[in-house]
Structure formats: structure tokens, C-alpha cells
Amino acid sequence: MADKKWYIVHTYSGFEAKVKLALEQRIHDLGLERLFGEVLVPQQQIKASKKDAAAGKITTQKLFPGYVLVEMAITNESWHLINDTPKVTGFVGASKKPRPVPASQVEALKKRLESDVPPERVDVTLEKGQSVRITAGPFVNFVGVVDDARADRQKVRVLVSIFGRSTPIDLNFNQVETVK
């Protein structure tokens, strides 16, 4: 059995679920189940704030829009299967040698997703250009700059440098902390 690790795959934003289904279908059709484990689109239940018109309503929200986590063994076959899937732009990391996500971080993320408690609203003021550190998820400990902050939705877009390229990451307020 191949040694499987978790990798982050970058997709077109809004197509994460379709990419997940396409990957699972292609894995099955090509008989490569031995090289792959779970395909995960991290989503959680969010309770709307009191200011929102639908106060108290629970909605599903993607934690990392544009990203899918894939448990797999890297071989030429598996690498090409991922990169040749429609709506996939590639792995996060070097183009020929993606960097795996530590299994402990993925397990912590899965535990968080399984909990029935919606995350609390965080009273923090984030402004464009402010430096923040990511405290949860696959990009934990990355430092970036706030590109946009939406207090009404508890959302922040952070620009993080990944391999010398500025990459936007959409996060919840409770997934970042300000850097002094």
C-alpha cells in the first residue's frame, strides 16, 4: 500500500464540490483507489448574526474557497490525475513536488468540522493593509496582509505569499490574529 499524505489542491472558486465529485469519479474509473484516500471540501455550519435579516439561520460555508484537500500518494499517475481534472489549477506548493499538509493539522480540521457548535462571532477590527497570522486550517502560522474585511459576515481575505506569489485566502475572523 502506498504512503498517503494530505495535499492541498487549488481549484476554481465555487467549483470545489464539482472538483471533489470529478476526482472521486476519475479515481474510480482509472482504478487508482490504492493511491487515494479521502477527498475533503472543508465546510462548516455558520449561525447568522443578529444584524442579518436571517438572524439565527444556520448556513453552510466553505472554510477555504478555491481549495480541496486530497489524501494521496504522489506518483506520476496520481499527479497527472489531479492536474488533468477540469477546474483544477494545480497543487499548492512547487509545481512538480507539492508539499504535504501535516496529518495533525488535517485531523484538527476534521474534528472542528465534526463539532456541532457553530463558531462564535469575534469582535475584532481588521483593516486593509494590516498584518495578521493565520491561526487555524491548512495555512496555520502563515503571515499575510488583510486585503478585505467584512465585519458583518465575520470574513477576511488575507494575501499570503506562497512560493513568491501573493495568494488570496478567505478566512473567518476567528482564524486570524493581528501581528504587532
Side-chain angles (χ1 to χ4, degrees):
M1 175 170 256
D3 184 31
K4 297 175 191 159
K5 295 183 180 172
W6 285 94
Y7 296 90
I8 302 171
V9 175
H10 189 259
T11 69
Y12 292 179
S13 188
F15 288 90
E16 300 86 358
K18 289 183 181 184
V19 166
K20 177 183 190 281
L21 291 173
L23 285 173
E24 290 170 342
Q25 186 64 47
R26 294 189 73 213
I27 291 165
H28 176 73
D29 291 349
L30 296 172
L32 296 177
E33 290 91 350
R34 72 188 185 286
L35 298 177
F36 289 88
E38 189 176 354
V39 179
L40 178 66
V41 177
Q43 301 181 93
Q44 68 181 359
Q45 302 295 317
I46 299 291
K47 190 175 191 177
S49 72
K50 294 177 184 173
K51 294 179 185 176
D52 294 336
K57 180 181 176 188
I58 304 286
T59 60
T60 301
Q61 166 186 346
K62 291 181 190 97
L63 289 180
F64 310 110
Y67 297 95
V68 175
L69 293 167
V70 180
E71 184 182 25
M72 61 183 282
I74 294 287
T75 66
N76 282 338
E77 285 178 303
S78 64
W79 189 89
H80 284 292
L81 183 139
I82 297 290
N83 282 298
D84 294 342
T85 299
K87 310 292 187 225
V88 169
T89 59
F91 288 95
V92 171
S95 60
K96 297 291 181 185
K97 182 76 171 148
R99 190 172 14 171
V101 177
S104 60
Q105 289 182 10
V106 176
E107 290 306 314
L109 174 64
K110 287 168 80 174
K111 272 187 179 174
R112 183 173 143 212
L113 296 175
E114 290 170 0
S115 83
D116 293 336
V117 180
E120 296 177 16
R121 291 187 63 81
V122 178
D123 286 332
V124 71
T125 303
L126 296 174
E127 297 176 6
K128 187 171 183 162
Q130 186 175 11
S131 292
V132 294
R133 175 177 281 106
I134 299 173
T135 60
F139 301 100
V140 70
N141 291 328
F142 276 62
V143 175
V145 176
V146 174
D147 183 46
D148 184 34
R150 307 257 332 244
D152 58 331
R153 293 188 175 181
Q154 294 278 294
K155 290 291 195 180
V156 61
R157 173 166 286 156
V158 178
L159 297 176
V160 176
S161 178
I162 299 176
F163 298 104
R165 199 170 125 205
S166 185
T167 304
I169 301 173
D170 293 322
L171 301 163
N172 295 321
F173 275 18
N174 63 355
Q175 293 177 293
V176 297
E177 65 184 12
T178 57
V179 176
K180 307 272 189 231

